[in-house]
Amino acid sequence: MGKVLISSAAVVFCGLVFAVGSSASADPTADTGRVVVFSTEEQALDQWEDPAGCQKLPVTAHVLINDTDAVVTTYADPLCLTPGLSVEPGYGAHVAPGTGSFSVGA
Protein backbone atom coordinates (compact mmCIF):
# COMPACT_ATOMS: atom_id res chain seq x y z
CA MET A 1 0.00 0.00 0.00
CA GLY A 2 2.85 2.43 0.86
CA LYS A 3 4.54 1.79 -2.49
CA VAL A 4 1.31 2.58 -4.36
CA LEU A 5 0.94 5.86 -2.47
CA ILE A 6 4.55 6.86 -3.15
CA SER A 7 4.21 5.92 -6.83
CA SER A 8 1.02 7.97 -7.13
CA ALA A 9 2.67 10.96 -5.47
CA ALA A 10 5.64 10.66 -7.85
CA VAL A 11 3.32 10.61 -10.90
CA VAL A 12 1.46 13.71 -9.66
CA PHE A 13 4.74 15.51 -8.94
CA CYS A 14 6.14 14.72 -12.38
CA GLY A 15 2.90 15.91 -13.99
CA LEU A 16 3.11 19.22 -12.14
CA VAL A 17 6.77 19.70 -13.08
CA PHE A 18 5.95 19.01 -16.75
CA ALA A 19 3.03 21.45 -16.73
CA VAL A 20 5.09 24.24 -15.17
CA GLY A 21 8.01 23.53 -17.49
CA SER A 22 5.74 23.63 -20.54
CA SER A 23 4.27 27.02 -19.74
CA ALA A 24 7.66 28.44 -18.82
CA SER A 25 9.12 27.42 -22.17
CA ALA A 26 6.74 29.69 -24.10
CA ASP A 27 8.35 32.80 -25.58
CA PRO A 28 7.73 35.54 -22.98
CA THR A 29 8.53 38.33 -25.47
CA ALA A 30 5.88 37.33 -28.03
CA ASP A 31 2.97 39.76 -28.27
CA THR A 32 -0.25 37.92 -27.61
CA GLY A 33 -3.88 38.82 -27.59
CA ARG A 34 -6.15 40.46 -30.09
CA VAL A 35 -7.09 43.79 -31.55
CA VAL A 36 -10.81 44.40 -32.02
CA VAL A 37 -12.30 47.12 -34.25
CA PHE A 38 -15.87 48.39 -34.14
CA SER A 39 -17.05 49.99 -37.39
CA THR A 40 -20.85 50.38 -37.44
CA GLU A 41 -23.88 48.90 -35.73
CA GLU A 42 -24.68 46.93 -38.89
CA GLN A 43 -21.27 45.22 -39.11
CA ALA A 44 -19.69 42.42 -37.11
CA LEU A 45 -16.57 43.28 -35.14
CA ASP A 46 -13.26 42.86 -36.96
CA GLN A 47 -10.74 40.87 -34.91
CA TRP A 48 -7.05 40.12 -35.34
CA GLU A 49 -5.61 37.32 -33.16
CA ASP A 50 -1.94 37.86 -32.26
CA PRO A 51 -1.46 40.42 -35.07
CA ALA A 52 2.02 40.97 -36.46
CA GLY A 53 3.27 43.60 -38.87
CA CYS A 54 1.18 46.33 -40.45
CA GLN A 55 -2.58 45.66 -40.51
CA LYS A 56 -4.95 47.76 -42.63
CA LEU A 57 -8.07 48.95 -40.82
CA PRO A 58 -11.50 48.61 -42.41
CA VAL A 59 -12.58 51.76 -44.27
CA THR A 60 -15.46 52.24 -41.82
CA ALA A 61 -13.35 51.67 -38.66
CA HIS A 62 -14.52 53.76 -35.71
CA VAL A 63 -13.12 52.34 -32.42
CA LEU A 64 -10.01 50.19 -31.88
CA ILE A 65 -9.67 48.07 -28.69
CA ASN A 66 -6.21 46.86 -27.65
CA ASP A 67 -6.65 43.48 -25.97
CA THR A 68 -2.97 42.54 -26.41
CA ASP A 69 -0.08 42.74 -23.97
CA ALA A 70 1.76 45.41 -25.99
CA VAL A 71 1.20 48.96 -27.22
CA VAL A 72 -0.79 49.27 -30.47
CA THR A 73 0.18 52.18 -32.73
CA THR A 74 -2.38 53.56 -35.14
CA TYR A 75 -1.43 55.17 -38.45
CA ALA A 76 -3.16 57.60 -40.82
CA ASP A 77 -2.19 55.59 -43.89
CA PRO A 78 -2.58 51.92 -44.95
CA LEU A 79 1.21 51.27 -44.95
CA CYS A 80 2.01 52.18 -41.31
CA LEU A 81 4.16 55.15 -42.37
CA THR A 82 2.59 58.08 -40.44
CA PRO A 83 2.20 57.20 -36.72
CA GLY A 84 -0.80 58.45 -34.82
CA LEU A 85 -2.07 57.38 -31.42
CA SER A 86 -0.42 54.83 -29.15
CA VAL A 87 -3.03 52.64 -27.45
CA GLU A 88 -1.91 50.96 -24.22
CA PRO A 89 -2.92 47.35 -23.45
CA GLY A 90 -6.46 47.19 -22.09
CA TYR A 91 -7.48 50.53 -23.62
CA GLY A 92 -9.23 51.69 -26.76
CA ALA A 93 -9.25 54.72 -29.04
CA HIS A 94 -11.35 56.32 -31.72
CA VAL A 95 -9.80 55.97 -35.17
CA ALA A 96 -10.58 58.14 -38.18
CA PRO A 97 -12.52 56.32 -40.90
CA GLY A 98 -10.61 56.06 -44.15
CA THR A 99 -7.38 54.35 -45.01
CA GLY A 100 -5.68 53.86 -41.61
CA SER A 101 -3.73 50.93 -40.22
CA PHE A 102 -2.18 49.67 -36.99
CA SER A 103 0.78 47.68 -35.71
CA VAL A 104 1.43 45.97 -32.38
CA GLY A 105 4.58 46.54 -30.36
CA ALA A 106 6.32 48.60 -33.06
Side-chain angles (χ1 to χ4, degrees):
M1 175 93 161
K3 290 182 181 180
V4 171
L5 184 59
I6 291 173
S7 296
S8 298
V11 168
V12 169
F13 177 77
C14 289
L16 289 173
V17 169
F18 178 77
V20 170
S22 296
S23 63
S25 65
D27 183 3
T29 61
D31 295 326
T32 58
R34 66 182 168 169
V35 172
V36 179
V37 171
F38 166 78
S39 292
T40 69
E41 289 80 0
E42 290 79 32
Q43 291 176 263
L45 297 172
D46 290 288
Q47 299 184 45
W48 292 263
E49 293 291 333
D50 301 328
C54 183
Q55 302 292 324
K56 186 174 179 336
L57 289 167
V59 173
T60 56
H62 184 72
V63 176
L64 179 142
I65 304 297
N66 180 1
D67 198 19
T68 71
D69 58 0
V71 173
V72 170
T73 302
T74 62
Y75 299 85
D77 65 274
L79 303 174
C80 296
L81 299 175
T82 51
L85 295 172
S86 294
V87 184
E88 294 293 324
Y91 287 82
H94 282 94
V95 293
T99 59
S101 55
F102 73 90
S103 65
V104 178

